[in-house]
Amino acid sequence: MFGIGMPELLVILVIILIIFGAGKLPEIGSALGRGIKNFKKATREPNEIDVTPTDEKKTEEKKP
């Protein structure tokens, strides 16, 4: 996997643990998981197409 073995991964994890502390790791992991989930969801959804006629768009923009 990209030339990274088990010893390198352990060193990286220890450094992350030292920098962020044990209390922050679950928070960081959940934020990372939500980000990946949202990214996958956005790539699977079809693009939304606006079918509103241009005349209606102009009148809606003028309304406060």
Side-chain angles (χ1 to χ4, degrees):
M1 184 171 108
F2 305 114
I4 298 176
M6 188 57 76
E8 290 88 0
L9 286 175
L10 288 175
V11 169
I12 292 170
L13 289 175
V14 168
I15 292 171
I16 291 173
L17 183 63
I18 291 170
I19 292 174
F20 293 110
K24 280 281 200 185
L25 288 182
E27 189 176 317
I28 293 169
S30 65
L32 185 63
R34 281 193 307 268
I36 292 171
K37 181 180 175 182
N38 288 336
F39 178 76
K40 286 182 179 181
K41 181 181 175 185
T43 57
R44 278 190 245 128
E45 289 180 355
N47 293 334
E48 294 183 14
I49 300 173
D50 188 13
V51 292
T52 308
T54 55
D55 293 338
E56 287 183 24
K57 285 184 187 177
K58 289 179 183 175
T59 56
E60 288 178 6
E61 290 176 358
K62 292 178 182 177
K63 294 179 183 177

